[in-house]
Amino acid sequence: MDHFEYRDGKLFCEDVPVRAIAKKVGTPFYLYSHATFARHFNVFDGAFSQIPHIVCYSLKANPNGALLRIIAKSGGGADIVSGGELYRALGAGIPADRIVYSGVGKTPEELRYAIESGIRMINMESESEFKTLRRLSRKMKRRVPVSIRVNPEIDPKTHPYITTGLKKNKFGILWEDAARIYREIAAEEYLEPVGISSHIGSQILELGPFVEAITSLKKMVLELRGLGMAIEMLDIGGGLGITYKDELPPEPKDYAKVVNENLGDIGITLVLEPGRVIVGNSGVFVTKMLYVKQTAGKTFYIVDGAMNDLVRPSLYNAYHDIVPVEQKKRKAKVVDLVGPICESGDFLAKDRELQGLKEGELVAVKSAGAYGYAMSSNYNSRRRAAEVLVRGDEFFVVRKRETLKDLIRGEKTPSFLEVE
Ligand code: LLP
């Protein structure tokens, strides 16, 4: 149930016809369902009710402030990877003690900001980062709760660009090195080894890789405790997959069950960092057909949304279901749905069977809530799309479409190029 459904052949988001929103805000735009987003969070959170835990929503999937406020109100936390995400999370009212920070390239400024904000845990990803944090914590004389993100060397069997827990990936620290660094952390006055973390990849569709990860993480927790460290948090990252086409991902409750079973009662607070599973199917991307272009043997539907708005098809060859905003009794056609950008890689779908569409009609690109707007750009000087949130029979623009002025905001003309 995702609250995007047809009523009399017209696509609705909750109780609002999608076409009515397009009329008001123009196209293209991202459209999120409040009920879906809140339900996904609550179902995920509820699945872990047997274990002390914090669900730290992964901001990178979709950091819109309205969504973050829903997370804050629901008692959730945040998984951040930059100072920018920390700023957003705090601004949306997510308490610092529910924020965890991963990332391979945190700058000293970002680390200082995180320490000053008093966040729950910094997940270190290299020995050099440890040294930087050591220096900062001594200088600031502030207690810093840390973990090491360990690389558990597990193949999550997903797209090569989104696996993160393999030896060849840049993420995390191998256990033999981590164990040594943990001892050094323990000897520090200000650094406190409170947890251990890992994240093995994204869009994971099987429970096996999670089981493997948890089994080895549990061993590591016990080993560190054996050395006298009070490891109280286990951060198992995000990564649970969703249905884009016909995938059958595990349900949150089944995921929670295997976590529970394999972890056992070791008296630990679990940290979870779901992104896609919360927001992916809470959003669609709505775009309008500009032109039908027929070339030898091919039909192109040229729409006003492009790879700068939704890059997943171009970047990962990702499949997103595409549905008409108004169903018509027309013959299906096999088409390429492409954007206006000057790149052959600019497509939303290739050789896709779609209901025949006429110029001016709308389509919704589904499962676009995660890594959609978040990965958008201004390429070809295209203004970034609007974002709209529906709640019941009301809709709210939660981000305005950019203006032409926004495109040049921050640019400066050097004096020698100024016109007299
Ligand atoms: N935690 C960490 C440390 C991560 O690196 C990620 C995602 C997550 C949590 C959230 O993972 P999720 O639950 O969303 O799978 N742009 C790609 C996905 C990149 C994921 C990067 N890390 C895509 O569009 O498929």
Side-chain angles (χ1 to χ4, degrees), residues 57-364:
Y57 169 70
S58 191
L59 257 69
K60 66 178 82 62
N62 189 327
N64 185 284
L67 301 179
L68 299 185
R69 283 184 169 80
I70 301 172
I71 296 288
K73 274 175 83 173
S74 312
D79 152 45
I80 59 161
V81 289
S82 68
E85 288 190 345
L86 177 54
Y87 176 75
R88 282 180 185 276
L90 293 172
I94 295 178
D97 69 356
R98 280 194 237 137
I99 298 179
V100 295
Y101 189 179
S102 307
V104 292
K106 309 178 190 83
T107 65
E109 291 71 32
E110 288 177 313
L111 288 168
R112 196 173 303 118
Y113 181 23
I115 296 169
E116 275 164 1
S117 306
I119 69 169
R120 184 64 171 263
M121 183 162 79
I122 297 178
N123 301 337
M124 299 185 294
E125 300 218 20
S126 64
E127 184 150 10
S128 301
E129 183 183 347
F130 156 63
K131 288 180 181 156
T132 305
L133 260 183
R134 180 170 66 187
R135 177 171 56 78
L136 285 171
S137 67
R138 286 178 184 168
K139 205 162 128 200
M140 294 167 77
K141 298 197 183 344
R142 286 275 300 255
R143 170 190 173 266
V144 184
V146 297
S147 89
I148 289 181
R149 174 170 171 182
V150 293
N151 180 337
E153 299 178 65
I154 285 164
D155 184 358
K157 303 185 184 73
T158 180
H159 191 288
Y161 282 17
I162 52 181
T163 65
T164 44
L166 289 174
K167 207 167 190 165
K168 63 179 182 193
N169 296 133
K170 69 176 174 180
F171 301 98
I173 299 178
L174 294 172
W175 175 240
E176 57 259 34
D177 299 319
R180 172 177 53 80
I181 300 170
Y182 265 114
R183 286 196 195 92
E184 293 188 45
I185 297 170
E188 279 299 306
E189 186 176 356
Y190 295 106
L191 296 183
E192 227 172 294
V194 295
I196 185 160
S197 70
S198 98
H199 168 81
I200 54 174
S202 196
Q203 183 56 11
I204 297 171
L205 297 166
E206 296 167 35
L207 291 172
F210 289 116
V211 171
E212 269 185 72
I214 284 158
T215 310
S216 51
L217 288 166
K218 179 179 174 177
K219 274 198 211 125
M220 298 171 194
V221 170
L222 299 177
E223 203 174 317
L224 293 174
R225 284 182 176 169
L227 294 170
M229 286 173 239
I231 303 292
E232 60 199 44
M233 307 228 285
L234 176 57
D235 180 346
I236 60 171
L240 196 60
I242 63 168
T243 303
Y244 284 97
K245 188 180 187 185
D246 47 16
E247 304 90 337
L248 290 171
E251 300 270 331
K253 67 171 182 347
D254 299 324
Y255 174 47
K257 193 161 165 253
V258 300
V259 172
N260 238 334
E261 283 169 1
N262 288 281
L263 197 55
D265 189 12
I266 59 166
I268 207 150
T269 298
L270 203 60
V271 176
L272 301 133
E273 303 178 348
R276 190 188 318 262
V277 68
I278 309 290
V279 70
N281 279 320
S282 303
V284 302
F285 176 62
V286 180
T287 176
K288 184 171 77 183
M289 167 105 108
L290 297 172
Y291 302 112
V292 182
K293 182 168 172 175
Q294 201 79 46
T295 63
K298 241 183 155 43
T299 304
F300 292 99
Y301 279 3
I302 302 170
V303 294
D304 62 2
M307 66 187 284
N308 75 298
D309 299 301
L310 179 63
V311 77
R312 302 194 72 258
S314 309
L315 191 57
Y316 312 117
N317 211 12
Y319 180 99
H320 284 260
D321 203 11
I322 294 175
V323 299
V325 167
E326 305 216 333
Q327 291 176 316
K328 310 264 180 192
K329 287 207 174 61
R330 290 192 198 137
K331 270 227 303 263
K333 285 200 138 199
V334 175
V335 305
D336 279 11
L337 197 83
V338 302
I341 284 186
C342 302
E343 298 256 0
S344 296
D346 177 27
F347 61 90
L348 297 174
K350 277 200 159 166
D351 298 319
R352 188 70 65 83
E353 188 171 298
L354 289 183
Q355 165 193 294
L357 281 179
K358 293 196 173 139
E359 295 178 359
E361 291 179 344
L362 304 171
V363 290

